[in-house]
Amino acid sequence: VFTQVRLWDVLIHNYLLDKKVVIPPKKTSFKAQAYAGAYVKEPQVGGHNWVMSFDLNSLYPHLIMQYNISPDTFVEGEYVQTDMDDMIDGIVPDFPKDKVLAANGHLFRKDKQGFLPEMMQTMYDERSLYKKEMIAAQKELETIKDKGLRYEANKKISKYKNLQMAKKIQLNSAYGALGNQYFRFFDVRQAEAITLSGQLSIRWIEKKLNEYLNKLLSTEGEDYVIASDTDSVYITFDKLVDKVLSIREGETEVSFRGRIVDFLDRVASEKVEPFIDKSYQDLADLMNAYEQKMVMAREVIADKGIWTAKKRYMLNVYDSEGVRFTETVKSSTPQACRDALKEAIDITLNKTEEDVQKFISDFKDEFLLLPFEDIAFPRSLSDLNKYDSNNEETLVLAKGTPIHVRGSLLYNHLIRKGGLEKRYQTIKDGEKIKFCYLKEPNGTGQNVISIINNLPPEFALEKFIDYDTQFSKAFIEPIKIILDVIGWKTEKVVTLEDFWK
């Protein structure tokens, strides 16, 4: 948080210095104010076929540009009362037509561009260049078979991915700085102008897309938008596919699916995206925007998707931004389980319940033979010093100490107690660690141990690693969330009928 404040203070200072503009003195507010955040729609829980997602490019930076949100364009003392539902329906209160209206009712000058939107545009253009190079390299990789050439292509992808990500973080952190009480230009009104205008943008397009698809498919009141989250919408095109396409005689299932992906790609680029552009121009006109900057493009085409809750979903992706491949939403679990979860999800999407149950059973047999390091949960460590009693003789843990912190404190205690400081480094605050559950009793008085790289054999804890708990928490619980939605079980349930067979 403080880093983004310092970053933007320096960036703005240097930018205005080049323009011979003196920045105002810093005024720190010690009273933080809450303000509205992003909009996340309650998803249609369950399975859906032929899903496409559409994403707004760099939403918050573009909102700053569209509404000309900047400390030097903010209109002090002028405000109109707005209503989100009315605005979504195209109704706004009267406001001066030489001003820009943000969704929270605050006004911004239209006769000049603010310094913040100017900076956003420059940075965004740089990021777009890097992202274009990254996607080109990804497409190239899909066609390369030679191992050496694939290595070089992967290096190129990593390079441009890191460059565009650095610009993305820099761009998005401007909004965070505006809402930070320690920032020189801190202003909750401007921060909320961004977040509420973002809510308006995503809810506006959700309504317009539903109207468009209901008209196209001769339905009424159908909600085709499965989910939306901040800057993205996920739409099912299953009914359109059924209406327009059917498998040809002699055509394979794989070929048919490829034809559907090609069809949806054309639908997105030739029909949906132009409609979205027009819809966002209407919104810009409604709010008297400085310029229309909402650009929403198709991201993925997936033949199947499953939603379990807000922000919890999986997609069987065939095409992502023009790159053809299959991937799933990744999990932050141990590496061994991440790979297995991807395979289990693929089986769930394409095979039967019995196939999934067999895979889970087989993977558990493999899991029980893996070393500590492969099955441990990865975590970033913070607040270690807050919970450390610094007792050399006895490990004393405060109530409420997080589990990975408990494991780290135990690790350090065992290092010191065993006089192993010269052989192993102790865990420090801010480090990346891994932790595993332990069976009890085990001589430590704890049910968890953390490590940095490897579990020291001097601890003699290998035989106490709780593989069953690790497997349950790292693999069964994540996959069960998905299987529960479609009514499948992680293992075969024996019925009375099965018993008597």
Side-chain angles (χ1 to χ4, degrees):
V1 173
F2 290 111
T3 300
Q4 70 185 16
V5 169
R6 287 195 295 268
L7 168 69
W8 274 99
D9 205 41
V10 171
L11 287 172
I12 291 172
H13 177 275
N14 292 339
Y15 187 81
L16 294 180
L17 187 65
D18 288 343
K19 292 180 171 289
K20 297 182 168 44
V21 176
V22 178
I23 64 172
K26 187 173 181 180
K27 294 180 181 178
T28 302
S29 169
F30 292 101
K31 187 175 181 181
Q33 297 169 259
Y35 56 91
Y39 172 74
V40 182
K41 178 182 178 178
E42 197 67 47
Q44 297 176 34
V45 172
H48 303 274
N49 295 326
W50 293 115
V51 176
M52 284 201 285
S53 70
F54 293 80
D55 281 20
L56 281 162
N57 294 338
S58 296
L59 176 59
Y60 285 174
H62 276 137
L63 288 168
I64 290 171
M65 292 183 244
Q66 172 152 330
Y67 293 91
N68 206 22
I69 297 168
S70 189
D72 56 330
T73 57
F74 181 77
V75 180
E76 196 73 55
E78 290 190 49
Y79 171 80
V80 295
Q81 186 66 48
T82 55
D83 180 270
M84 183 63 73
D85 291 332
D86 283 347
M87 287 187 291
I88 292 168
D89 289 335
I91 303 166
V92 295
D94 290 332
F95 66 96
K97 295 310 174 189
D98 62 338
K99 305 290 192 304
V100 180
L101 175 64
N104 66 340
H106 285 290
L107 302 168
F108 296 85
R109 291 175 61 177
K110 196 174 181 180
D111 60 327
K112 72 161 193 173
Q113 187 178 34
F115 68 78
L116 200 54
E118 273 187 46
M119 294 177 72
M120 294 288 103
Q121 186 66 64
T122 302
M123 292 179 182
Y124 178 76
D125 290 344
E126 291 172 353
R127 187 205 168 195
S128 297
L129 206 61
Y130 296 141
K131 190 171 182 182
K132 190 182 294 184
E133 292 287 349
M134 180 190 75
I135 291 173
Q138 287 174 333
K139 287 182 178 179
E140 183 185 4
L141 179 66
E142 294 298 310
T143 65
I144 297 173
K145 303 297 181 186
D146 181 78
K147 192 173 181 180
L149 292 176
R150 286 184 66 83
Y151 174 74
E152 291 301 320
N154 273 312
K155 276 175 57 178
K156 193 175 179 182
I157 291 168
S158 296
K159 172 187 172 182
Y160 286 113
K161 182 179 181 180
N162 290 338
L163 286 170
Q164 71 90 18
M165 186 57 68
K167 284 294 175 187
K168 178 181 179 180
I169 293 168
Q170 195 177 55
L171 279 162
N172 289 334
S173 64
Y175 148 72
L178 271 176
N180 188 292
Q181 64 196 42
Y182 300 103
F183 186 46
R184 185 184 304 271
F185 299 98
F186 166 66
D187 191 336
V188 168
R189 297 168 299 178
Q190 293 184 55
E192 194 167 65
I194 297 169
T195 54
L196 283 179
S197 296
Q199 286 193 25
L200 175 59
S201 290
I202 203 68
R203 294 183 66 185
W204 173 274
I205 208 62
E206 178 190 346
K207 182 175 186 288
K208 295 298 181 185
L209 284 167
N210 269 324
E211 289 173 353
Y212 175 75
L213 289 169
N214 272 285
K215 183 178 179 181
L216 179 68
L217 295 167
S218 303
T219 54
E220 190 174 337
E222 190 85 20
D223 188 0
Y224 291 96
V225 180
I226 301 162
S228 67
D229 182 356
T230 310
D231 58 358
S232 309
V233 289
Y234 297 83
I235 309 162
T236 174
F237 285 85
D238 191 28
K239 286 188 177 179
L240 178 63
V241 170
D242 285 347
K243 185 175 183 178
V244 176
L245 299 177
S246 59
I247 194 164
R248 296 165 180 163
E249 186 177 349
E251 185 177 28
T252 65
E253 185 67 28
V254 171
S255 176
F256 180 45
R257 286 178 180 275
R259 192 155 56 87
I260 294 173
V261 173
D262 290 338
F263 167 71
L264 290 177
D265 184 35
R266 291 196 305 274
V267 167
S269 61
E270 296 173 14
K271 300 295 182 182
V272 180
E273 287 176 0
F275 173 80
I276 289 173
D277 290 341
K278 181 184 179 304
S279 298
Y280 273 133
Q281 184 59 59
D282 292 341
L283 176 60
D285 293 341
L286 181 72
M287 309 301 283
N288 201 30
Y290 184 81
E291 56 181 326
Q292 202 304 93
K293 298 297 288 186
M294 295 295 99
V295 179
M296 180 173 261
R298 192 270 293 170
E299 186 180 29
V300 306
I301 301 173
D303 69 330
K304 294 178 183 177
I306 296 175
W307 267 258
T308 63
K310 286 181 179 180
K311 298 179 181 288
R312 302 184 75 171
Y313 65 96
M314 65 175 184
L315 295 171
N316 195 48
V317 176
Y318 273 73
D319 184 299
S320 178
E321 297 182 289
V323 181
R324 294 286 171 98
F325 56 91
T326 302
E327 67 173 20
T328 54
V329 177
K330 296 176 177 64
S331 169
S332 57
T333 49
Q335 183 60 51
C337 293
R338 275 206 297 271
D339 296 339
L341 278 169
K342 287 189 213 176
E343 193 168 347
I345 289 168
D346 183 63
I347 294 170
T348 303
L349 288 166
N350 297 298
K351 296 185 180 180
T352 67
E353 182 180 15
E354 288 74 19
D355 291 321
V356 175
Q357 290 170 350
K358 183 179 186 308
F359 176 82
I360 292 171
S361 176
D362 290 345
F363 176 62
K364 185 173 184 179
D365 292 340
E366 296 174 23
F367 185 89
L368 297 177
L369 300 175
L370 293 172
F372 178 104
E373 294 75 19
D374 289 352
I375 66 168
F377 291 99
R379 288 290 186 276
S380 292
L381 188 64
S382 61
D383 292 332
L384 181 68
N385 298 330
K386 173 183 173 182
Y387 295 101
D388 193 351
S389 65
N390 292 309
N391 189 315
E392 296 291 334
E393 299 300 322
T394 310
L395 180 63
V396 180
L397 297 175
K399 186 177 180 181
T401 303
I403 188 165
H404 64 297
V405 178
R406 281 201 286 119
S408 300
L409 291 172
L410 175 61
Y411 178 93
N412 288 348
H413 174 71
L414 294 176
I415 291 291
R416 289 191 291 263
K417 185 179 177 181
L420 302 171
E421 292 95 329
K422 291 183 179 179
R423 192 172 300 177
Y424 305 102
Q425 67 179 73
T426 55
I427 296 174
K428 307 290 191 305
D429 212 11
E431 287 189 306
K432 302 284 188 184
I433 57 97
K434 294 181 178 182
F435 75 89
C436 262
Y437 287 90
L438 298 174
K439 297 175 186 175
E440 294 184 284
N442 55 49
T444 69
Q446 297 297 321
N447 70 334
V448 62
I449 182 72
S450 300
I451 63 167
I452 302 174
N453 297 310
N454 302 100
L455 181 65
E458 291 87 348
F459 290 1
L461 290 175
E462 289 87 349
K463 63 182 178 182
F464 295 107
I465 296 171
D466 192 343
Y467 277 88
D468 288 333
T469 299
Q470 285 294 122
F471 185 73
S472 176
K473 291 185 175 293
F475 185 79
I476 293 297
E477 288 182 11
I479 197 65
K480 190 174 183 297
I481 291 170
I482 294 166
L483 297 183
D484 283 350
V485 172
I486 56 177
W488 287 9
K489 304 295 183 186
T490 57
E491 57 185 356
K492 185 174 175 60
V493 177
V494 179
T495 64
L496 284 174
E497 184 180 350
D498 293 325
F499 178 78
W500 289 109
K501 281 181 181 178

